[in-house]
Amino acid sequence: MKKIKNHIDELFKDIPRNNETEMVKQEIIQNLEEKVFYLMEHGKEEDDAINKAIVEFGDIEDLKNELGVKEPKNKNMAKLNLEFSVWGSSLIIALFLFINLYYTPNTIWAIYPIFAILWWPLSMYFVWSRKKWSK
């Protein structure tokens, strides 16, 4: 029955510990153990009965909603990615301009990698705008 306890502990790892959750946890373990004994009385092996009881128990999402556990919100990283891409590409462009003007001032070649680098903030802008307008 250690397998049932470990399984329930794993399911409850994200749920804050308090008296209510401990009582619910103990009740679930007791119900699963009773189901295992019932299945064993009807000819199942112990391991098969434990696995069947765990599978039939199913998902814990309804229980989380009942206990008031909220899912963590995903942060919108699109704006941060856009800002990072603008600053990063600006620094890279400044580096290319410096190298171009310092070593070969008569030949302007930095414009080609600058166009390639500008795709980075442009793509992040489109990701940010899509997330912004989808709300």
Side-chain angles (χ1 to χ4, degrees):
M1 299 303 171
K2 196 79 153 158
K3 186 175 181 180
I4 291 176
K5 184 174 180 343
N6 292 340
H7 179 71
I8 298 302
D9 287 340
E10 183 68 25
L11 288 176
F12 274 77
K13 71 179 179 185
D14 296 335
I15 298 175
R17 295 184 72 169
N18 58 31
N19 288 338
E20 183 183 6
T21 57
E22 289 300 317
M23 286 176 32
V24 169
K25 206 161 106 173
Q26 292 303 321
E27 186 177 335
I28 291 171
I29 291 171
Q30 183 180 0
N31 289 341
L32 287 175
E33 287 175 350
E34 288 175 6
K35 176 124 182 143
V36 167
F37 289 131
Y38 175 80
L39 291 171
M40 286 172 49
E41 286 176 1
H42 286 81
K44 290 270 188 195
E45 297 279 328
E46 183 178 1
D47 287 338
D48 291 337
I50 290 172
N51 290 335
K52 184 171 174 120
I54 288 174
V55 168
E56 287 180 0
F57 176 69
D59 199 355
I60 195 167
E61 294 304 317
D62 293 334
L63 191 59
K64 283 183 179 180
N65 292 337
E66 209 172 286
L67 291 173
V69 175
K70 296 178 183 169
E71 293 295 321
K73 291 184 179 179
N74 292 335
K75 291 185 177 181
N76 187 359
M77 298 296 288
K79 186 175 181 184
L80 182 64
N81 290 341
L82 175 62
E83 292 170 1
F84 178 74
S85 66
V86 168
W87 283 103
S89 59
S90 300
L91 291 173
I92 294 170
I93 289 170
L95 175 69
F96 276 122
L97 286 173
F98 170 74
I99 292 171
N100 187 177
L101 295 175
Y102 188 76
Y103 290 107
T104 56
N106 297 331
T107 307
I108 300 177
W109 55 264
I111 194 74
Y112 301 113
I114 287 173
F115 277 125
I117 291 168
L118 287 176
W119 284 105
W120 180 26
L122 183 64
S123 64
M124 291 295 107
Y125 170 75
F126 284 119
V127 169
W128 172 73
S129 64
R130 186 175 54 201
K131 294 224 183 214
K132 179 180 158 189
W133 292 108
S134 69
K135 288 182 181 179

